[in-house]
Amino acid sequence: MTTDGPPARRLMRWRNAVWLAAAVLFLLNFVQRGIDLFSIILTAIVVALGFAVEHVETQTRRPFKNYLRVALASFALGLVLVAMPLLMGAGIWIGLILWAGLSGAALFWCTYYERTEPR
């Protein structure tokens, strides 16, 4: 069995590939639809979220790491379930209920997990 190097180097290659794919997708979106304020703001939010996830995964330790993961996931869910319908002019009650329920369940699970798992 051959490997391409230590796990950290392989993980860095995957990260670089994901960032490159995201950049290509954003460029294709800008070429197809043009550049407007909404696209720029959405791109900035997604890039900031990506950097935040990378920072949490590489620079933090348990138990704080798991709580930050839940916070980032809750933020991403809030964008999809609350902010997008609000921007489209749709009703947000179902999305708000789903967001609150999923975020609360994730926080409950994280709290339970951190109390029961050894460090």
Side-chain angles (χ1 to χ4, degrees):
M1 180 166 81
T2 62
T3 59
D4 294 330
R9 185 176 298 154
R10 282 182 281 164
L11 185 60
M12 187 57 109
R13 287 184 186 161
W14 276 105
R15 282 188 195 135
N16 290 339
V18 168
W19 280 113
L20 183 63
V24 168
L25 288 174
F26 283 128
L27 286 175
L28 286 175
N29 183 38
F30 286 145
V31 168
Q32 288 178 347
R33 299 175 190 229
I35 297 175
D36 60 344
L37 184 60
F38 179 74
S39 296
I40 292 171
I41 291 172
L42 187 60
T43 301
I45 289 172
V46 170
V47 168
L49 187 63
F51 278 121
V53 167
E54 187 171 337
H55 179 74
V56 165
E57 293 301 320
T58 59
Q59 303 295 324
T60 59
R61 293 186 181 177
R62 276 190 59 207
F64 192 53
K65 182 181 214 172
N66 287 329
Y67 289 108
L68 287 176
R69 285 176 177 166
V70 168
L72 289 172
S74 178
F75 177 74
L77 270 174
L79 286 176
V80 172
L81 295 175
V82 178
M84 280 180 42
L86 188 62
L87 287 172
M88 294 185 312
I92 63 166
W93 290 109
I94 298 294
L96 191 62
I97 292 168
L98 280 170
W99 173 74
L102 290 171
S103 296
L107 183 61
F108 177 78
W109 174 84
C110 186
T111 303
Y112 176 77
Y113 177 80
E114 285 302 327
R115 284 189 297 151
T116 60
E117 288 297 312
R119 291 182 193 211

